Amino acid sequence: MSIDKTSTPPEDTPVENPEAARGSGVAVDPRLLVREQGFAGYITEFKRRIKAGDLGSIPVVIGLAVIWIIFQSLNSNFLTAGNLSDISVAMVGTGMIAVGIVFVLLLGEIDLSVGSVSGVAGAAYAVLTVTHGMPAWLALVLSVLVGTAAGALHGFFFAKIGVPAFAVTLAGLLFWNGFMLQILGDSGTINLDGNGLVAKLTSYYFSDVAAAYGLAIAVTVLFFLSSFLGNKRREAAGVPSRPLSETVLRTVLLAIVSFAAAAVYNQYKGLPLAVVIFVGVLIITDFVLRRTAYGRKVFALGGSVEASRRAGINVAWVRISVFAISGTFAAIGGLFIASKIASANQGAGGGDLLMNAIAAAVIGGTSLFGGRGRTWNALLGVLVIVSIQYGLALEGIASPVQYMITGGVLLATVVIDAVTRKTQKTAGRA
């Protein structure tokens, strides 16, 4: 399959044996060869990445650390276990929506309907369970399918009819918002059962300390095995792979973060169910994008539509499926948001939800120009946004200032993305 060179290859394709790779006829990325030089090689590579504007998630991680340091210096309650746990639960609703946005951005497109679709899902669940007495599990499934159908409809008009994604999803924003108001009726608000299925999405915690540490162990082991076995398969095929030392180093860093998070959760109420589901979603979607043929098609399409079409990719089907995925995650996010407030109301899906979801994907590192990004970017981006919101709330700073600061962070991220793309073109990598 021919993939346009504007697509960035997955970062897990370094070379350990360049001679074997050359002999097999595989094109070896020169930036990977320095890893044979040990620690000095990594320094050389880091300098090269700075010159080429290829910093990955490093600016986001540094930015998040700075944000936490600033707010902790202003208020000692910011980094308490309770506040960090609340932040992690609050971010899941917007984070789920941002995961779907990542898929759309990888195509170089946008979906403006996700906020309204999330509101419809929450309203549909409330109406089906409270008004019509439908079993909670069935209502949940149908509510998610409503989001899938809405996204697929948007994708159909975009892929088959040729309506620009901006226009069709803007129309969807208005239509689904009106549809939500219609099904909620005159009351405008429907309260959910506090002990119901959806309510427990954000209110349930695994209080046993073994749960948080068990998840940390599982994530760490899964990451190591995935990386190690993947490298073995690449070595056997004579294609680029990571050195074992780098895999071990990445695993150790992940273990430190995972066990630190587990310790924080166990100091409060325990491991939140919402976080477990979100982490599971990120692992699955990351696998789909980076390890499956479908994911490669999405990246290829984001690099060049024409090249993808000539390679035999069903462009229309991929586009429709991506928007269906976006609608699905918008619905899931809407259910988490409804769970957080234990109700569905006329304000659901409105306010700054749409902008925060898009901003989370972009701030986390997904390119607005298509072809570059990971679903883990949604986690980093939404963590930045919610941290800012909670930090400013602790200081009693009004919402207008929160909007301005979030907007400034988003603008800075987009500028970095544009400059990075321009720098990579200059360096001959895009």
Side-chain angles (χ1 to χ4, degrees), residues 56-65 362-365 380-381 384 413:
S57 299
I58 294 177
V60 188
V61 174
I62 294 175
L64 181 62
V362 176
I363 290 173
L380 288 173
V384 168
T413 305

Side-chain angles (χ1 to χ4, degrees), residues 84-421:
L84 291 177
S85 180
D86 289 342
I87 287 175
S88 66
V89 173
M91 74 179 185
V92 173
T94 304
M96 287 290 190
I97 301 174
V99 169
I101 290 292
V102 168
F103 278 82
V104 176
L105 290 179
L106 287 175
L107 296 183
E109 302 295 341
I110 195 68
D111 187 349
L112 301 178
S113 69
V114 290
S116 295
V117 171
S118 71
V120 168
Y125 177 84
V127 170
L128 291 174
T129 55
V130 178
T131 306
H132 298 289
M134 181 179 290
W137 68 268
L138 180 57
L140 186 147
V141 171
L142 292 177
S143 299
V144 172
L145 290 178
V146 166
T148 305
L153 183 63
H154 300 154
F156 172 81
F157 280 105
F158 168 55
K160 292 291 189 180
I161 309 301
V163 182
F166 177 90
V168 70
T169 57
L170 179 59
L173 181 154
L174 299 173
F175 177 85
W176 297 114
N177 185 62
F179 184 70
M180 178 192 69
L181 298 177
Q182 181 67 30
I183 64 176
L184 283 175
D186 296 333
S187 65
T189 300
I190 300 177
N191 294 322
L192 301 177
D193 179 6
N195 294 317
L197 179 61
V198 164
K200 289 183 177 180
L201 289 176
T202 56
S203 64
Y204 186 83
Y205 292 77
F206 298 96
S207 57
D208 191 334
V209 296
Y213 289 121
L215 180 62
I217 293 173
V219 169
T220 303
V221 171
L222 182 63
F223 174 80
F224 176 78
L225 290 178
S226 175
S227 300
F228 180 76
L229 296 177
N231 289 338
K232 286 298 183 182
R233 288 194 297 269
R234 292 171 183 274
E235 289 176 11
V239 295
S241 62
R242 289 191 187 280
L244 179 60
S245 59
E246 182 174 346
T247 299
V248 171
L249 176 61
R250 287 171 175 262
T251 303
V252 170
L253 292 176
L254 176 61
I256 293 173
V257 174
S258 300
F259 279 89
V264 169
Y265 288 135
N266 284 332
Q267 290 177 30
Y268 188 52
K269 296 180 180 180
L271 177 65
L273 173 63
V275 172
V276 175
I277 297 174
F278 191 35
V279 170
V281 164
L282 291 174
I283 292 174
I284 293 172
T285 52
D286 183 67
F287 177 84
V288 168
L289 281 177
R290 299 198 304 124
R291 304 288 185 180
T292 67
Y294 175 78
R296 289 191 288 271
K297 291 176 183 178
V298 173
F299 277 105
L301 195 56
S304 172
V305 175
E306 186 58 33
S308 300
R309 184 178 287 111
R310 292 179 179 179
I313 294 176
N314 188 332
V315 173
W317 178 82
V318 173
R319 284 175 164 173
I320 293 173
S321 65
V322 163
F323 276 90
I325 290 171
S326 178
T328 300
F329 281 109
I332 295 174
L335 292 173
F336 274 93
I337 293 171
S339 172
K340 187 67 178 173
I341 61 177
S343 68
N345 57 50
Q346 294 179 336
D352 59 355
L353 178 61
L354 170 63
M355 291 299 102
N356 282 345
I358 296 175
V362 176
I363 290 173
T366 304
S367 176
L368 282 169
F369 302 100
R372 178 166 60 84
R374 296 179 60 179
T375 50
W376 289 100
N377 296 148
L379 170 62
L380 288 173
V382 75
L383 192 54
V384 168
I385 291 174
V386 177
S387 295
I388 292 174
Q389 291 175 342
Y390 268 65
L392 294 177
L394 284 176
E395 293 302 304
I397 298 176
S399 295
V401 178
Q402 296 183 25
Y403 291 150
M404 289 187 286
I405 292 177
T406 304
V409 173
L410 176 59
L411 177 61
T413 305
V414 175
V415 169
I416 291 174
D417 183 29
V419 172
T420 296
R421 186 177 176 85

Side-chain angles (χ1 to χ4, degrees), residues 11-16 30-51 54-55 58 231 241-251 253:
E11 203 173 305
D12 61 346
T13 56
V15 73
E16 184 164 82
R31 59 183 169 163
L32 306 176
L33 301 180
V34 297
R35 296 185 178 180
E36 293 192 335
Q37 303 170 10
F39 182 75
Y42 284 96
I43 299 298
T44 302
E45 181 187 9
F46 182 71
K47 292 179 180 179
R48 182 209 57 76
R49 293 182 68 175
I50 291 179
K51 292 180 180 179
D54 181 19
L55 297 180
I58 294 177
N231 289 338
S241 62
R242 289 191 187 280
L244 179 60
S245 59
E246 182 174 346
T247 299
V248 171
L249 176 61
R250 287 171 175 262
T251 303
L253 292 176

